[in-house]
Amino acid sequence: MLENIFKLKERKTDVKTEVLAGFTTFITMAYIIFVNPSILSTTGLDKHAVFFATCIGAAVGTLIMALYANLPFALAPGMGLNAFFTYTVCLQMKYTPQQALAAVFISGIIFVIITAVGLRQAIVRSIPQSLKHAMTAGIGLFIAFIGFINSGIVVIDPGSKLPKFGDFTSAFKSLTNDPNINSAIISSRGAIVALIGLLIIGILIAKRVKGAIIIGIIIATVISFPLKIVDLSKFKFSLESFKVSAFNFDFAGLFAAHGQGGGIGAVLLSLFAVILTFTLIDMFDSIGTFVGLADKAGMLDEKGDIPNMDRALMSDAVATVVGSIFGTSTVTTYIESAAGIEEGGRTGLTSLVTGILFILALVIAPFIGLVPSQATAPALIAVGVMMISSIKKIDFNDFEEALPAFLTIVIMPFTYSIANGISAGIIFYVLVKLLRGKAKEIHPVTYILAILFILRFMVIAH
């Protein structure tokens, strides 16, 4: 049966190899089941409900990839996309998480439609390679900055409003009955724990240990217990931890003005920026990931095409719709699938095993509350390091490419907005090319995006 479904002999693999590869992929990307609830719960979403959505979204997407596309690629809520959902859409643009989930659902439907008609790759090709790499690097820098803030390693000075190093000197002072002092000491200890976690993750990744990030999260969590960063007295094992919050959408509110002024035009441009950013990030990320993984697995044909590419893209699109229905940000294909491919995974059987493990992971739901933000923050920093490596692919000797790319990268963390970075990069790319007399080098779709983003900045203040 497995041979008939997954064509194991055709791809020169066997059941044992595929199962081991599936376990390896899961262990490598399992950190998302802790990190995603930590990030999205900042919006007010219930952490246990997000955990359920994370596991189900990852499981469904990965199982579709396994059975429909027969590829060893695993899916889960994307890093960067969850940060955009939380820190830009909800905290900065003031959308409620229910409205943001509605936007993710709409973007998922858009994915399905443009994938079905074959437009998804065409749209991706309209954006210059330098900006694609800059988006990845900028999101990496943004995620790392969030990690530093969440850990307490970096804090915002209340006077100057500028970032500075957190307090490490209070970490091991004896606790007193003064709640303010207790809070300061615990915050300081949390920063120390985050540093330890980051060091552990860094060493394990450098030694190419499988599951380095999840190991670091677990160790940092355990260390936090005796330091009283987590209040163990409040923990109790309860079936109430298995929370499901499906169809948690607010479509009506999504189209409201949110007090930004400017009438329906401002509303539509704001909504355009939100949905387009979800769409662009996932499209670039998924297609780039597909090509990289397929190349690593030796699956690219003589034309450089991926087998079942249309089915892989559709699996990715449907996973986003399913994930939003259960209450999580955009689900996308994970580059960590490369770990399973390195172990010999070549078919959907690898993904099938990974998907089943995401379902089994639901049993640890009651323990999610025991993982503090200081334990997950090092994972954000580590992922940021991996993502910012894309900056190497940008030619900074060509200033026409360098300036828009640079603005894309730095504006994301400086304005605490992924959408602002993407908007600025596309606008300046078009302006620089036009002023250099190279209008023909600009794709028509890029012109349209630049005009819409300019209108967005003119009408909406962020």
Short mmCIF file of all heavy atoms in Angstrom, two decimals, residues 22-74:
data_model
loop_
_atom_site.label_atom_id
_atom_site.label_comp_id
_atom_site.label_asym_id
_atom_site.label_seq_id
_atom_site.Cartn_x
_atom_site.Cartn_y
_atom_site.Cartn_z
N GLY A 22 10.86 11.51 8.90
CA GLY A 22 9.69 12.21 9.43
C GLY A 22 9.87 12.62 10.87
O GLY A 22 9.51 13.74 11.26
N PHE A 23 10.44 11.72 11.69
CA PHE A 23 10.74 12.05 13.09
C PHE A 23 11.74 13.20 13.16
O PHE A 23 11.60 14.12 13.98
CB PHE A 23 11.31 10.82 13.81
CG PHE A 23 10.25 9.95 14.44
CD1 PHE A 23 9.76 8.83 13.78
CD2 PHE A 23 9.73 10.24 15.69
CE1 PHE A 23 8.79 8.02 14.35
CE2 PHE A 23 8.76 9.45 16.28
CZ PHE A 23 8.28 8.33 15.61
N THR A 24 12.75 13.16 12.31
CA THR A 24 13.79 14.19 12.32
C THR A 24 13.21 15.55 11.98
O THR A 24 13.53 16.56 12.65
CB THR A 24 14.90 13.82 11.32
OG1 THR A 24 15.45 12.55 11.66
CG2 THR A 24 16.01 14.87 11.34
N THR A 25 12.37 15.60 10.96
CA THR A 25 11.74 16.87 10.58
C THR A 25 10.90 17.41 11.73
O THR A 25 10.97 18.61 12.06
CB THR A 25 10.85 16.69 9.34
OG1 THR A 25 11.67 16.33 8.21
CG2 THR A 25 10.10 17.97 9.00
N PHE A 26 10.13 16.56 12.37
CA PHE A 26 9.28 17.02 13.47
C PHE A 26 10.11 17.57 14.62
O PHE A 26 9.81 18.65 15.15
CB PHE A 26 8.40 15.88 13.99
CG PHE A 26 7.60 16.26 15.21
CD1 PHE A 26 6.47 17.05 15.09
CD2 PHE A 26 8.00 15.85 16.48
CE1 PHE A 26 5.73 17.42 16.21
CE2 PHE A 26 7.28 16.23 17.60
CZ PHE A 26 6.15 17.01 17.47
N ILE A 27 11.14 16.85 15.02
CA ILE A 27 11.97 17.29 16.14
C ILE A 27 12.61 18.64 15.83
O ILE A 27 12.72 19.52 16.69
CB ILE A 27 13.06 16.24 16.46
CG1 ILE A 27 12.40 14.97 17.04
CG2 ILE A 27 14.08 16.79 17.44
CD1 ILE A 27 13.36 13.81 17.17
N THR A 28 13.01 18.83 14.57
CA THR A 28 13.69 20.06 14.18
C THR A 28 12.76 21.27 14.20
O THR A 28 13.20 22.38 14.53
CB THR A 28 14.30 19.89 12.77
OG1 THR A 28 15.14 18.74 12.75
CG2 THR A 28 15.13 21.10 12.39
N MET A 29 11.49 21.07 13.86
CA MET A 29 10.58 22.22 13.78
C MET A 29 9.54 22.25 14.91
O MET A 29 8.67 23.12 14.92
CB MET A 29 9.86 22.22 12.43
CG MET A 29 8.98 21.01 12.16
SD MET A 29 8.28 20.99 10.48
CE MET A 29 7.08 22.31 10.58
N ALA A 30 9.67 21.34 15.88
CA ALA A 30 8.68 21.27 16.97
C ALA A 30 8.68 22.52 17.84
O ALA A 30 7.72 22.76 18.57
CB ALA A 30 8.93 20.03 17.83
N TYR A 31 9.74 23.33 17.76
CA TYR A 31 9.78 24.55 18.57
C TYR A 31 8.58 25.46 18.29
O TYR A 31 8.16 26.24 19.14
CB TYR A 31 11.08 25.31 18.32
CG TYR A 31 11.23 25.90 16.94
CD1 TYR A 31 10.73 27.16 16.65
CD2 TYR A 31 11.88 25.21 15.93
CE1 TYR A 31 10.86 27.71 15.39
CE2 TYR A 31 12.02 25.74 14.66
CZ TYR A 31 11.50 27.00 14.39
OH TYR A 31 11.64 27.54 13.14
N ILE A 32 7.99 25.35 17.10
CA ILE A 32 6.89 26.24 16.73
C ILE A 32 5.66 26.03 17.62
O ILE A 32 4.88 26.96 17.83
CB ILE A 32 6.52 26.06 15.24
CG1 ILE A 32 5.61 27.19 14.78
CG2 ILE A 32 5.85 24.71 15.00
CD1 ILE A 32 6.23 28.56 14.83
N ILE A 33 5.50 24.82 18.18
CA ILE A 33 4.32 24.58 19.01
C ILE A 33 4.41 25.33 20.34
O ILE A 33 3.39 25.51 21.02
CB ILE A 33 4.08 23.07 19.26
CG1 ILE A 33 5.20 22.45 20.07
CG2 ILE A 33 3.88 22.34 17.95
CD1 ILE A 33 4.99 20.96 20.38
N PHE A 34 5.61 25.76 20.71
CA PHE A 34 5.78 26.59 21.90
C PHE A 34 5.88 28.08 21.53
O PHE A 34 5.32 28.93 22.23
CB PHE A 34 7.05 26.19 22.67
CG PHE A 34 7.02 24.79 23.21
CD1 PHE A 34 7.77 23.79 22.60
CD2 PHE A 34 6.24 24.47 24.30
CE1 PHE A 34 7.74 22.49 23.08
CE2 PHE A 34 6.21 23.17 24.79
CZ PHE A 34 6.97 22.18 24.17
N VAL A 35 6.58 28.37 20.45
CA VAL A 35 6.83 29.77 20.08
C VAL A 35 5.58 30.44 19.54
O VAL A 35 5.28 31.60 19.89
CB VAL A 35 7.97 29.85 19.05
CG1 VAL A 35 8.16 31.29 18.57
CG2 VAL A 35 9.28 29.33 19.64
N ASN A 36 4.82 29.75 18.70
CA ASN A 36 3.65 30.39 18.08
C ASN A 36 2.60 30.81 19.12
O ASN A 36 2.11 31.95 19.08
CB ASN A 36 3.03 29.45 17.04
CG ASN A 36 2.14 30.18 16.06
OD1 ASN A 36 2.53 31.19 15.49
ND2 ASN A 36 0.93 29.69 15.86
N PRO A 37 2.25 29.95 20.08
CA PRO A 37 1.31 30.41 21.12
C PRO A 37 1.85 31.58 21.93
O PRO A 37 1.09 32.47 22.33
CB PRO A 37 1.13 29.17 22.00
CG PRO A 37 1.42 28.02 21.10
CD PRO A 37 2.53 28.51 20.21
N SER A 38 3.17 31.58 22.17
CA SER A 38 3.77 32.66 22.93
C SER A 38 3.62 33.99 22.20
O SER A 38 3.32 35.02 22.81
CB SER A 38 5.26 32.36 23.17
OG SER A 38 5.89 33.43 23.85
N ILE A 39 3.80 33.98 20.88
CA ILE A 39 3.69 35.21 20.10
C ILE A 39 2.24 35.64 19.93
O ILE A 39 1.88 36.79 20.23
CB ILE A 39 4.35 35.02 18.71
CG1 ILE A 39 5.86 34.85 18.86
CG2 ILE A 39 4.05 36.21 17.80
CD1 ILE A 39 6.57 34.57 17.56
N LEU A 40 1.38 34.74 19.47
CA LEU A 40 0.00 35.12 19.17
C LEU A 40 -0.82 35.44 20.42
O LEU A 40 -1.77 36.21 20.35
CB LEU A 40 -0.69 34.01 18.36
CG LEU A 40 -0.14 33.72 16.96
CD1 LEU A 40 -1.09 32.79 16.20
CD2 LEU A 40 0.08 34.99 16.17
N SER A 41 -0.45 34.85 21.55
CA SER A 41 -1.20 35.15 22.79
C SER A 41 -1.01 36.60 23.21
O SER A 41 -1.81 37.13 24.00
CB SER A 41 -0.77 34.20 23.91
OG SER A 41 0.59 34.39 24.25
N THR A 42 0.02 37.26 22.70
CA THR A 42 0.25 38.68 22.98
C THR A 42 -0.92 39.52 22.48
O THR A 42 -1.19 40.60 23.01
CB THR A 42 1.55 39.16 22.31
OG1 THR A 42 2.62 38.32 22.72
CG2 THR A 42 1.89 40.59 22.69
N THR A 43 -1.64 39.03 21.48
CA THR A 43 -2.78 39.77 20.93
C THR A 43 -4.04 39.61 21.78
O THR A 43 -5.03 40.30 21.55
CB THR A 43 -3.11 39.27 19.51
OG1 THR A 43 -3.63 37.92 19.58
CG2 THR A 43 -1.88 39.28 18.62
N GLY A 44 -4.02 38.69 22.72
CA GLY A 44 -5.20 38.41 23.53
C GLY A 44 -5.81 37.06 23.24
O GLY A 44 -6.73 36.63 23.93
N LEU A 45 -5.30 36.38 22.20
CA LEU A 45 -5.78 35.03 21.92
C LEU A 45 -5.37 34.09 23.04
O LEU A 45 -4.29 34.26 23.63
CB LEU A 45 -5.22 34.53 20.58
CG LEU A 45 -5.75 35.23 19.32
CD1 LEU A 45 -4.96 34.75 18.09
CD2 LEU A 45 -7.24 34.97 19.13
N ASP A 46 -6.20 33.10 23.35
CA ASP A 46 -5.88 32.14 24.39
C ASP A 46 -4.71 31.27 23.96
O ASP A 46 -4.71 30.71 22.86
CB ASP A 46 -7.10 31.26 24.67
CG ASP A 46 -6.85 30.29 25.81
OD1 ASP A 46 -7.05 30.67 26.97
OD2 ASP A 46 -6.45 29.14 25.52
N LYS A 47 -3.71 31.16 24.83
CA LYS A 47 -2.49 30.42 24.49
C LYS A 47 -2.78 28.95 24.19
O LYS A 47 -2.20 28.37 23.26
CB LYS A 47 -1.47 30.55 25.63
CG LYS A 47 -0.14 29.85 25.34
CD LYS A 47 0.88 30.04 26.46
CE LYS A 47 1.47 31.43 26.43
NZ LYS A 47 2.64 31.54 27.37
N HIS A 48 -3.67 28.34 24.95
CA HIS A 48 -3.99 26.93 24.72
C HIS A 48 -4.73 26.73 23.40
O HIS A 48 -4.51 25.75 22.69
CB HIS A 48 -4.82 26.38 25.89
CG HIS A 48 -4.07 26.31 27.17
ND1 HIS A 48 -3.13 25.34 27.43
CD2 HIS A 48 -4.10 27.12 28.27
CE1 HIS A 48 -2.63 25.53 28.64
NE2 HIS A 48 -3.19 26.60 29.17
N ALA A 49 -5.63 27.68 23.06
CA ALA A 49 -6.36 27.59 21.80
C ALA A 49 -5.40 27.75 20.62
O ALA A 49 -5.53 27.07 19.60
CB ALA A 49 -7.46 28.65 21.74
N VAL A 50 -4.42 28.64 20.77
CA VAL A 50 -3.42 28.83 19.69
C VAL A 50 -2.55 27.59 19.56
O VAL A 50 -2.18 27.19 18.45
CB VAL A 50 -2.55 30.07 19.97
CG1 VAL A 50 -1.44 30.18 18.92
CG2 VAL A 50 -3.39 31.33 19.97
N PHE A 51 -2.23 26.97 20.69
CA PHE A 51 -1.46 25.73 20.64
C PHE A 51 -2.20 24.67 19.84
O PHE A 51 -1.63 24.00 18.98
CB PHE A 51 -1.19 25.22 22.06
CG PHE A 51 -0.57 23.84 22.11
CD1 PHE A 51 0.77 23.67 21.85
CD2 PHE A 51 -1.34 22.73 22.41
CE1 PHE A 51 1.35 22.40 21.89
CE2 PHE A 51 -0.79 21.47 22.45
CZ PHE A 51 0.56 21.30 22.18
N PHE A 52 -3.50 24.52 20.12
CA PHE A 52 -4.32 23.56 19.38
C PHE A 52 -4.32 23.90 17.89
O PHE A 52 -4.13 23.03 17.04
CB PHE A 52 -5.76 23.55 19.91
CG PHE A 52 -6.66 22.58 19.20
CD1 PHE A 52 -6.77 21.27 19.64
CD2 PHE A 52 -7.40 22.97 18.09
CE1 PHE A 52 -7.60 20.36 18.98
CE2 PHE A 52 -8.23 22.08 17.43
CZ PHE A 52 -8.33 20.76 17.87
N ALA A 53 -4.51 25.18 17.57
CA ALA A 53 -4.55 25.62 16.17
C ALA A 53 -3.21 25.38 15.49
O ALA A 53 -3.16 25.01 14.31
CB ALA A 53 -4.92 27.10 16.10
N THR A 54 -2.13 25.59 16.23
CA THR A 54 -0.79 25.39 15.67
C THR A 54 -0.59 23.92 15.29
O THR A 54 -0.13 23.61 14.18
CB THR A 54 0.29 25.81 16.69
OG1 THR A 54 0.11 27.19 17.02
CG2 THR A 54 1.69 25.60 16.12
N CYS A 55 -0.92 23.03 16.20
CA CYS A 55 -0.76 21.60 15.94
C CYS A 55 -1.66 21.12 14.81
O CYS A 55 -1.22 20.38 13.92
CB CYS A 55 -1.04 20.79 17.21
SG CYS A 55 0.19 21.00 18.52
N ILE A 56 -2.93 21.55 14.83
CA ILE A 56 -3.87 21.11 13.80
C ILE A 56 -3.53 21.70 12.44
O ILE A 56 -3.56 21.01 11.41
CB ILE A 56 -5.32 21.48 14.20
CG1 ILE A 56 -5.76 20.66 15.42
CG2 ILE A 56 -6.28 21.24 13.04
CD1 ILE A 56 -5.73 19.16 15.21
N GLY A 57 -3.20 23.01 12.42
CA GLY A 57 -2.83 23.64 11.16
C GLY A 57 -1.60 22.98 10.54
O GLY A 57 -1.55 22.71 9.33
N ALA A 58 -0.60 22.69 11.39
CA ALA A 58 0.61 22.02 10.92
C ALA A 58 0.31 20.61 10.45
O ALA A 58 0.79 20.17 9.40
CB ALA A 58 1.66 22.00 12.03
N ALA A 59 -0.50 19.89 11.22
CA ALA A 59 -0.82 18.51 10.88
C ALA A 59 -1.60 18.41 9.58
O ALA A 59 -1.24 17.64 8.68
CB ALA A 59 -1.62 17.86 12.02
N VAL A 60 -2.64 19.22 9.44
CA VAL A 60 -3.47 19.17 8.23
C VAL A 60 -2.67 19.56 6.99
O VAL A 60 -2.70 18.87 5.96
CB VAL A 60 -4.71 20.09 8.38
CG1 VAL A 60 -5.45 20.21 7.04
CG2 VAL A 60 -5.65 19.55 9.45
N GLY A 61 -1.92 20.66 7.10
CA GLY A 61 -1.11 21.09 5.96
C GLY A 61 -0.07 20.06 5.56
O GLY A 61 0.12 19.77 4.36
N THR A 62 0.59 19.47 6.55
CA THR A 62 1.62 18.48 6.27
C THR A 62 1.03 17.19 5.71
O THR A 62 1.61 16.57 4.80
CB THR A 62 2.43 18.18 7.56
OG1 THR A 62 2.96 19.41 8.08
CG2 THR A 62 3.58 17.24 7.28
N LEU A 63 -0.13 16.79 6.21
CA LEU A 63 -0.77 15.58 5.70
C LEU A 63 -1.27 15.77 4.27
O LEU A 63 -1.20 14.85 3.45
CB LEU A 63 -1.93 15.17 6.62
CG LEU A 63 -1.52 14.67 8.01
CD1 LEU A 63 -2.75 14.44 8.88
CD2 LEU A 63 -0.70 13.40 7.91
N ILE A 64 -1.75 16.97 3.94
CA ILE A 64 -2.15 17.25 2.55
C ILE A 64 -0.93 17.19 1.64
O ILE A 64 -0.97 16.62 0.55
CB ILE A 64 -2.84 18.63 2.45
CG1 ILE A 64 -4.16 18.63 3.21
CG2 ILE A 64 -3.08 18.99 0.98
CD1 ILE A 64 -4.82 19.99 3.28
N MET A 65 0.17 17.78 2.11
CA MET A 65 1.41 17.73 1.34
C MET A 65 1.85 16.28 1.12
O MET A 65 2.36 15.92 0.05
CB MET A 65 2.51 18.51 2.08
CG MET A 65 3.83 18.62 1.31
SD MET A 65 3.75 19.69 -0.13
CE MET A 65 3.71 21.31 0.66
N ALA A 66 1.64 15.44 2.13
CA ALA A 66 2.06 14.04 2.04
C ALA A 66 1.21 13.26 1.05
O ALA A 66 1.73 12.58 0.16
CB ALA A 66 1.96 13.39 3.42
N LEU A 67 -0.11 13.37 1.19
CA LEU A 67 -1.02 12.51 0.44
C LEU A 67 -1.40 13.08 -0.93
O LEU A 67 -1.74 12.33 -1.84
CB LEU A 67 -2.28 12.25 1.27
CG LEU A 67 -2.03 11.57 2.62
CD1 LEU A 67 -3.31 11.53 3.45
CD2 LEU A 67 -1.46 10.17 2.42
N TYR A 68 -1.36 14.39 -1.08
CA TYR A 68 -1.76 15.01 -2.33
C TYR A 68 -0.57 15.33 -3.23
O TYR A 68 -0.60 15.10 -4.44
CB TYR A 68 -2.55 16.29 -2.04
CG TYR A 68 -3.07 17.02 -3.25
CD1 TYR A 68 -3.95 16.40 -4.14
CD2 TYR A 68 -2.69 18.34 -3.51
CE1 TYR A 68 -4.43 17.07 -5.26
CE2 TYR A 68 -3.17 19.02 -4.62
CZ TYR A 68 -4.04 18.38 -5.49
OH TYR A 68 -4.52 19.05 -6.60
N ALA A 69 0.52 15.86 -2.63
CA ALA A 69 1.70 16.24 -3.42
C ALA A 69 2.81 15.19 -3.38
O ALA A 69 3.71 15.21 -4.22
CB ALA A 69 2.25 17.58 -2.92
N ASN A 70 2.77 14.27 -2.39
CA ASN A 70 3.80 13.24 -2.23
C ASN A 70 5.20 13.83 -2.18
O ASN A 70 6.12 13.41 -2.87
CB ASN A 70 3.72 12.19 -3.36
CG ASN A 70 4.59 10.97 -3.08
OD1 ASN A 70 4.90 10.67 -1.93
ND2 ASN A 70 4.98 10.27 -4.12
N LEU A 71 5.36 14.85 -1.33
CA LEU A 71 6.66 15.49 -1.16
C LEU A 71 7.04 15.49 0.33
O LEU A 71 6.15 15.60 1.20
CB LEU A 71 6.64 16.92 -1.69
CG LEU A 71 6.54 17.06 -3.21
CD1 LEU A 71 6.24 18.50 -3.61
CD2 LEU A 71 7.82 16.58 -3.89
N PRO A 72 8.33 15.42 0.66
CA PRO A 72 8.76 15.35 2.07
C PRO A 72 8.86 16.72 2.74
O PRO A 72 9.82 17.02 3.44
CB PRO A 72 10.14 14.68 1.95
CG PRO A 72 10.66 15.18 0.65
CD PRO A 72 9.46 15.26 -0.27
N PHE A 73 7.87 17.58 2.49
CA PHE A 73 7.87 18.93 3.03
C PHE A 73 6.82 19.05 4.14
O PHE A 73 5.69 18.61 3.98
CB PHE A 73 7.54 19.96 1.94
CG PHE A 73 8.42 19.91 0.72
CD1 PHE A 73 8.01 20.48 -0.47
CD2 PHE A 73 9.67 19.28 0.75
CE1 PHE A 73 8.81 20.44 -1.61
CE2 PHE A 73 10.47 19.23 -0.38
CZ PHE A 73 10.03 19.81 -1.56
N ALA A 74 7.20 19.65 5.25
CA ALA A 74 6.29 19.83 6.37
C ALA A 74 5.88 21.29 6.49
O ALA A 74 6.63 22.20 6.09
CB ALA A 74 6.95 19.37 7.67
#
